[in-house]
Amino acid sequence: ADDAIPPSHDIHAARIDSNGVVLDPVALTVSSAPGAQTRPSVAFDGRNYLVAWEDKRAGNLDVYAARVNTFGVVLDAGGIPVTTGPAREGAPSVSYGDGQYLVAWHDSRDADYTAAIFGARVTPLGAVVDVAGFRISDVPNPQVRPRVAFGGGQFLVAWTDTSLGSFDTYGARVSLAAAVGPSFVIAAGD
């Protein structure tokens, strides 16, 4: 994210080669939509990158993404709306595995949860498979700041549980078909 004057909070990127040389001394603009775009996350599918971020172009917090190819061309100039509901959706994390991306975020759409973790699959062509998103966390406490990784044919989503002043780390496995396993404690906080 970039803090220009006046603050615009756009998403910019630069490619770096395997020797650590910056290939884009003038940053690539991934998103310069109205409102703030912050908290980017990126994954690579072997051909293109998918950059996901928080986006306030509509006034509330949503999640958008854009593909960027290895030549530094932004393939989705207006961004791909991953989730744009009336609730606050933020802090996205993205990973790639076996032909698809998984974008996870914290979402306040449910009245019984302060925030829960939701996700959506995105194809390498930029199509959002799970348009309404799907619930990943199944614990009734505030869940925030997800992180996604892929291995062994499935995704692992980890997040912070912020109930009662404690900061525990939870996780859940997500299959390529978006089947979500039960949440489990990874580490107990203070």
Side-chain angles (χ1 to χ4, degrees):
D2 177 37
D3 295 332
I5 298 175
S8 64
H9 301 287
D10 295 331
I11 302 296
H12 295 280
R15 296 169 300 138
I16 301 171
D17 74 12
S18 60
N19 295 315
V21 176
V22 176
L23 301 175
D24 303 301
V26 175
L28 308 167
T29 299
V30 178
S31 177
S32 61
Q37 291 89 48
T38 57
R39 292 187 175 183
S41 178
V42 64
F44 184 61
D45 69 10
R47 183 173 177 192
N48 295 311
Y49 299 92
L50 183 71
V51 182
W53 65 87
E54 290 182 342
D55 195 298
K56 288 188 82 172
R57 70 180 71 185
N60 62 323
L61 207 54
D62 295 320
V63 174
Y64 275 74
R67 293 169 301 138
V68 180
N69 71 20
T70 56
F71 299 106
V73 176
V74 177
L75 302 175
D76 308 296
I80 302 163
V82 177
T83 180
T84 59
R88 292 177 49 94
E89 302 101 7
S93 180
V94 62
S95 187
Y96 176 82
D98 282 354
Q100 66 186 359
Y101 294 97
L102 176 63
V103 179
W105 64 89
H106 61 239
D107 191 308
S108 63
R109 72 177 73 181
D110 297 333
D112 59 339
Y113 292 131
T114 303
I117 305 302
F118 278 75
R121 294 168 295 159
V122 178
T123 71
L125 296 176
V128 178
V129 177
D130 308 292
V131 177
F134 59 90
R135 179 185 294 280
I136 296 173
S137 62
D138 64 359
V139 289
N141 304 321
Q143 312 295 309
V144 296
R145 297 185 296 275
R147 295 294 179 261
V148 183
F150 182 82
Q154 61 187 344
F155 294 96
L156 173 66
V157 181
W159 63 87
T160 302
D161 174 294
T162 62
S163 62
L164 303 173
S166 176
F167 295 95
D168 298 334
T169 302
Y170 277 77
R173 292 178 184 90
V174 179
S175 77
L176 293 168
V180 179
S183 297
F184 56 91
V185 176
I186 295 173
D190 297 341

